[in-house]
């Protein structure tokens, strides 16, 4: 047997070796922990899940090998990854307001910062590695305490934060937020040097005020040569912005201000702090005109995602936009033509969507307690059109309102995501439950 993983810090030698075929998931987990030299007596043993030829191991190894018509005489490649485990109170913290949205897309030196939007209008940075400590940086404000956005207020939105999107831009981190106050805000922070011990804060660099209703969701797409932001609101409108040049200027300004403030060698510690504050306060607030505006839906837009559906090109640019709405429709838009190229009428309120770049399928969650799967490339897969003609393009439906015995959530599903590539679905219910549904 050969063990492989996509998680570098858990990698072991890929040299094949023999293991008893009677082992199950827990037994293979002990083998991997032994290879990682994890001392189980210290309570630090890591739980793993295993994939054998794309099938999740949920029985003794010998039974799965027999089921897949494999031979125990051959070298079998087993992929493993950290299992999802139920957390306890020791790995949680209490924030001063209800959490409305969060994002963990900002990763620096393998340390994860979770960006949290709250109903009090404040965006906080949560250091996921310090959850179990009393460190003062837990739940700190996105901006320095001395930095005010408007009228000296420490809030980032005058109302609940509705959505957050994060990405890396050149040598900076960017956080985009939308709120009930009809605004979209963009914040930027320079990546800190490994040798630097100074505290870096986000600067408020862009504010967009084109919406006249609550901005329900935002999405971003960033490459070496472009940075696109799209925002969607309560009344079904979408605005698209090219923020690349503005972010580049703001990033250069922050670097210049920081270098200027730390120019003198005297009072170095004080000047380091002044540099961080100066960069936050003096970068300047910009506005950007929308590239285009679309009235995309007749009701609230619940989710939006940018993607590249041009399978015949090697371009890394975003080519399409996918939107879902309370008007029951799921739509695919061509960004260049600014035109709707594909529509699915689901017949139910859609609460969220997630597109997979691996299988080109779109997941949607619904108020009827169901999860549906759609093909984003349906127009290019005409041979399947007849099969799906009676299901409005729906490839598969999970769940019903009857019971949980067959992986069937009984209530409104608020969020759905592809996870572990395309082999599992993560979804959350409105009644505080979350599930992982394995497809293989």
């Amino acid at each position: 047997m050969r063990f492989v993983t996509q998680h570098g810090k858990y990698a072991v030698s890929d040299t094949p070796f023999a293991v008893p075929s009677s082992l199950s998931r827990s037994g293979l987990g002990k083998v991997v922990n032994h290879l990682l030299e994890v001392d189980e007596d210290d309570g630090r043993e890591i739980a793993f899940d295993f994939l054998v030829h794309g099938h999740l191991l949920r029985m003794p190894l010998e039974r799965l090998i027999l089921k897949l018509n494999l031979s125990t005489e051959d070298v079998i490649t087993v992929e493993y990854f950290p299992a999802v485990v139920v957390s306890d109170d020791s790995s949680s913290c209490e924030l001063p307001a209800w959490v409305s949205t969060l994002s963990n897309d900002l990763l620096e030196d393998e340390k994860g910062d979770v960006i949290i939007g709250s109903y009090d209008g404040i965006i906080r940075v949560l250091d996921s590695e310090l959850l179990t400590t009393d460190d003062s940086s837990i739940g700190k404000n996105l901006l320095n305490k001395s930095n005010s956005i408007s009228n000296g207020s420490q809030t980032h939105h005058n109302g609940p934060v509705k959505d957050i999107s994060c990405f890396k831009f050149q040598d900076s981190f960017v956080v985009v937020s939308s709120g009930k106050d009809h605004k979209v805000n963009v914040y930027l922070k320079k990546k800190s040097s490994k040798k630097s011990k100074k505290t870096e804060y986000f600067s408020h660099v862009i504010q967009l005020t084109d919406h006249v209703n609550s901005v329900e969701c935002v999405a971003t797409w960033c490459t070496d040569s472009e940075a696109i932001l799209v925002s969607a609101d309560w009344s079904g409108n979408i605005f698209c912005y090219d923020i690349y040049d503005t972010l580049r200027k703001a990033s250069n300004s922050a670097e210049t201000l920081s270098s200027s403030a730390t120019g003198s060698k005297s009072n170095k510690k004080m000047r380091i702090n002044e540099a961080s504050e100066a960069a936050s306060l003096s970068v300047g607030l910009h506005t950007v005109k929308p590239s285009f505006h679309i009235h995309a839906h007749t009701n609230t837009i619940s989710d939006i995602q940018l993607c590249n559906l041009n399978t015949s090109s090697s371009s890394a640019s975003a080519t399409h936009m996918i939107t879902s709405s309370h008007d029951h429709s799921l739509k695919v838009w061509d960004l260049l033509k600014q035109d709707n190229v594909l529509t699915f009428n689901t017949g139910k309120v859609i609460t969220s969507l997630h597109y997979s770049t691996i299988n080109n399928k779109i997941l949607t969650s619904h108020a009827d307690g169901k999860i549906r799967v759609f093909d984003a490339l349906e127009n290019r897969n005409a041979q399947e059109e007849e099969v799906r003609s009676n299901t409005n393009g729906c490839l598969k439906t999970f769940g019903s309102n009857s019971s949980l015995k067959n992986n069937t959530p009984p209530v409104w599903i608020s969020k759905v995501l592809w996870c572990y590539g395309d082999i599992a679905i993560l979804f959350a219910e409105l009644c505080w439950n979350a599930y992982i549904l394995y497809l293989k």
Side-chain angles (χ1 to χ4, degrees):
M1 180 170 291
R2 176 187 291 112
F3 288 105
V4 296
T5 184
Q6 298 181 25
H7 298 264
K9 63 179 180 179
Y10 297 125
V12 299
S13 172
D14 62 354
T15 303
F17 59 91
V19 298
S21 61
S22 59
L23 290 181
S24 60
R25 172 182 169 239
S26 59
L28 287 180
K30 290 184 182 296
V31 172
V32 174
N33 275 278
H34 176 73
L35 294 174
L36 293 172
E37 299 180 349
V38 175
D39 189 355
E40 59 181 292
D41 295 333
D42 293 341
R44 296 188 297 111
E45 190 171 280
I46 305 165
F48 289 102
D49 268 318
F50 299 87
L51 283 175
V52 180
H53 282 232
H55 290 259
L56 198 67
L57 183 63
R58 284 295 182 263
M59 60 183 73
L61 189 57
E62 56 188 351
R63 282 179 55 195
L64 185 58
I65 290 174
L66 184 63
K67 181 179 178 180
L68 298 176
N69 294 320
L70 302 176
S71 172
T72 55
E73 301 298 323
D74 297 330
V75 175
I76 299 174
T77 300
V78 176
E79 182 180 353
Y80 62 95
F81 48 89
V84 176
V85 296
V86 179
S87 60
D88 53 30
D89 289 341
S90 64
S91 58
S92 63
C93 68
E94 186 171 343
L95 295 176
W98 286 357
V99 175
S100 55
T101 182
L102 56 84
S103 173
N104 65 342
D105 293 331
L106 292 186
L107 300 176
E108 183 179 13
D109 300 327
E110 297 185 354
K111 182 187 79 170
D113 283 338
V114 181
I115 311 298
I116 300 174
S118 304
Y119 274 79
D120 59 1
I122 294 177
I123 304 170
R124 295 174 174 86
V125 181
L126 180 68
D127 187 340
S128 59
E129 292 188 353
L130 300 176
L131 276 172
T132 57
T133 74
D134 293 327
D135 192 282
S136 60
S137 65
I138 291 181
K140 67 186 178 184
N141 198 302
L142 184 75
L143 301 171
N144 188 5
K145 289 182 178 180
S146 64
N147 189 357
S148 59
I149 293 179
S150 61
N151 301 323
S153 172
Q154 282 299 300
T155 60
H156 306 106
H157 288 276
N158 296 319
V161 180
K162 292 297 295 181
D163 198 14
I164 286 176
S165 179
C166 306
F167 61 93
K168 295 177 183 178
F169 177 80
Q170 297 179 352
D171 58 348
S172 302
F173 292 127
V174 178
V175 174
V176 179
S177 66
S178 65
K180 279 278 197 182
D181 58 357
H182 312 172
K183 295 176 182 177
V184 177
N185 293 326
V186 181
Y187 308 92
L188 178 142
K189 180 185 79 167
K190 301 290 291 184
K191 290 181 184 178
S192 56
S193 169
K194 291 183 178 181
K195 296 181 180 180
S196 173
K197 296 183 179 180
K198 68 179 179 180
T199 302
E200 297 281 358
Y201 295 99
F202 282 87
S203 306
H204 187 197
V205 294
I206 300 174
Q207 186 169 80
L208 308 172
T209 58
D210 296 289
H211 291 275
V212 294
N213 281 287
S214 171
V215 187
E216 296 294 296
C217 47
V218 290
T220 54
W221 184 280
C222 184
T223 66
D224 292 338
S225 58
E226 70 175 354
I228 298 175
L229 186 160
V230 289
S231 55
D233 65 28
W234 181 264
S235 57
N237 292 300
I238 294 175
F239 288 90
C240 179
Y241 303 89
D242 182 353
I243 59 174
Y244 180 86
D245 289 337
T246 306
L247 286 180
R248 183 170 52 82
K249 292 175 183 177
S251 180
N252 292 338
S253 297
E255 184 175 6
T256 302
L257 287 166
S258 181
S259 301
S260 174
T262 54
S264 173
K265 293 184 179 180
S266 61
N267 298 324
K268 186 174 183 180
K269 185 175 181 180
M270 182 181 70
R271 289 185 176 274
I272 284 176
N273 292 330
E274 288 176 355
S276 183
E277 276 190 39
S280 285
L281 287 166
S282 306
V283 168
L285 189 60
H286 304 268
T287 187
V288 179
K289 292 183 178 180
S291 302
F292 64 83
H293 159 249
I294 298 175
H295 185 65
H297 292 269
T298 59
N299 207 324
T300 304
I301 297 176
S302 56
D303 211 346
I304 188 169
Q305 185 174 347
L306 292 168
C307 58
N308 186 326
L309 297 182
N310 193 350
T311 55
S312 62
S313 172
S314 59
S315 172
S317 299
T319 61
H320 291 76
M321 172 176 66
I322 306 173
T323 60
S324 62
S325 172
H326 289 186
D327 66 5
H328 304 178
S329 66
L330 174 70
K331 297 184 178 183
V332 180
W333 302 83
D334 187 309
L335 287 178
L336 183 61
K337 298 177 181 178
Q338 301 170 28
D339 190 23
N340 177 211
V341 295
L342 184 60
T343 299
F344 299 103
N345 295 308
T346 68
K348 299 294 179 180
V349 168
I350 308 176
T351 57
S352 72
L353 73 89
H354 192 216
Y355 165 74
S356 169
T357 58
I358 298 175
N359 59 21
N360 293 315
K361 300 297 188 292
I362 308 169
L363 279 179
T364 56
S365 59
H366 298 264
D368 64 348
K370 293 184 180 180
I371 298 167
R372 294 176 171 86
V373 184
F374 299 88
D375 186 359
L377 303 178
E378 184 181 76
N379 286 350
R380 305 172 203 184
N381 298 331
Q383 67 273 14
E384 300 180 16
E385 184 175 347
E386 184 177 349
V387 178
R388 299 195 297 274
S389 60
N390 295 325
T391 56
N392 294 322
C394 181
L395 291 172
K396 195 162 187 178
T397 301
F398 301 96
S400 69
N401 286 333
S402 56
S403 68
L404 284 172
K405 291 184 179 179
N406 297 315
N407 299 318
T408 54
V411 295
W412 180 305
I413 299 178
S414 57
K415 188 70 176 178
V416 66
L417 295 169
W418 288 106
C419 60
Y420 301 136
D422 61 352
I423 66 161
I425 298 170
L426 172 66
F427 61 94
E429 296 177 347
L430 207 59
C431 61
W432 310 302
N433 295 320
Y435 302 91
I436 290 183
L437 178 64
Y438 288 99
L439 304 182
K440 294 182 180 180

